[in-house]
Amino acid sequence: GGAGLYLAARHRLREHWAAELPAGSLQLTLYQYKTCPFCSKVRAFLDYHGLPYEIVEVNPIMRKEIKFTSYRKVPILLANAGRPLQLNDSSVIISAIKTYLISKRNSLEEIVSFYPPMKTVTEQGKEVFEYGNKYWLMLDEKETKRVYPVKEVRVEEMKWRKWADDWLVHLISPNVYRTPREALASFDYIVREGKFGTMEGFFAKYMGAVAMFFISKRLKKRHHLQDNVREDLYEAVNEWVKAVGKHRLFMGGNQPNLADLAVYGVLRVMEGLEAFDDMMVHTKIQPWYQRMEEVIQKAEV
Ligand SMILES: N[C@@H](CCC(=O)N[C@@H](CS)C(=O)NCC(=O)O)C(=O)O
């Protein structure tokens, strides 16, 4: 009767969803600082893919919220696709979840195991863990052909994702803490958006602004930036616009790829600050940036 038909229809619908959306059963929790560029990248990715997630804003002073793990940074993504899993590092998170969305062959657990932490030594002689293959999607031949019809687009996407992590992010601090006034405005925004106690927020704002003003000068040296750090920002952003070119809406073509999402995610953390307004006025980024805002807004759940 009617009920049977209804149940059958519901069953069909479920099946359909399950086939279309392997992520239907994905429970995600993002541990983040709202104003951190790496976290913003992950949100841009999840939002664009319409994946719902919960956010745990971490207090950057005590970091109580992430005491459950020995990994000391954010973002951290807890993902439950059957079994709870912890994913560290923004690019690993993005590559692993993207692989999972494309490929139904492997469990998320298996996919994550393809991104092993590896010990490396930095230029400064510090031992750090870096995740292997973090810009690489773990696809078989058929999937690769479907997602990357030509090899060049895959290489290009990896190149610019790496560029966003290794170059673009380093331009943020020197630019948003450039002058004492900008440093104060930046910390006002960090405290407003982040998770701080009342007193904590008050002290963080002033002490943070002073500290970051000086630290940003050191970062400027370390990354060999020009005296006027805005110039590096403008050049980088224009280089990106040029790489996208005039003949496509996004680097991914008609839709953003992971490089578009990474660059957008990084730049977005400057919104509301002087550096962002300057960038909009002095570079050619605006049309692309607006397109990114629009597609992400449309996709958001
Ligand atoms: N490679 C990492 C970098 C993450 C990162 O540096 N996060 C910063 C916040 S913006 C952090 O948690 N720093 C804390 C620390 O280094 O102790 C990623 O892509 O997720």
Side-chain angles (χ1 to χ4, degrees), residues 33 36-38 41 63 71-75 89-91 134 165:
Y33 304 147
C36 147
F38 303 103
K41 254 175 26 177
R63 293 194 284 190
Y71 183 69
R72 292 292 178 69
K73 294 181 179 177
V74 290
D89 189 280
S90 59
S91 291
K134 66 179 180 177
D165 282 359

Side-chain angles (χ1 to χ4, degrees), residues 45-150:
F45 168 79
L46 296 174
D47 290 341
Y48 173 69
H49 289 83
L51 298 170
Y53 55 97
E54 283 190 26
I55 287 180
V56 177
E57 188 68 28
V58 176
N59 173 304
I61 298 169
M62 296 310 291
R63 293 194 284 190
K64 226 179 33 255
E65 296 81 0
I66 53 171
K67 285 277 147 69
F68 63 84
T69 169
S70 56
Y71 183 69
R72 292 292 178 69
K73 294 181 179 177
V74 290
I76 296 169
L77 187 75
L78 295 190
N80 194 338
R83 272 219 254 164
L85 272 177
Q86 178 179 335
L87 282 72
N88 303 332
D89 189 280
S90 59
S91 291
V92 172
I93 293 172
I94 291 168
S95 294
I97 302 282
K98 183 73 181 181
T99 300
Y100 181 72
L101 293 177
I102 296 168
S103 161
K104 284 143 199 154
R105 284 171 302 114
N106 293 305
S107 69
L108 186 58
E109 199 165 2
E110 278 166 316
I111 294 170
V112 172
S113 74
F114 299 143
Y115 300 95
M118 297 185 300
K119 206 190 262 175
T120 58
V121 180
T122 63
E123 277 176 44
Q124 287 86 26
K126 212 173 111 189
E127 270 188 3
V128 289
F129 280 96
E130 192 43 282
Y131 287 86
N133 324 313
K134 66 179 180 177
Y135 303 107
W136 185 256
L137 303 190
M138 303 294 168
L139 308 175
D140 70 13
E141 219 178 305
K142 240 171 91 191
E143 293 156 350
T144 303
K145 279 225 175 81
R146 181 155 57 82
V147 182
Y148 302 110
V150 292

Side-chain angles (χ1 to χ4, degrees), residues 12 47 78 114 144 158 226 264 274:
R12 286 273 301 282
D47 290 341
L78 295 190
F114 299 143
T144 303
M158 292 202 299
Q226 299 175 42
Y264 172 75
E274 201 176 302

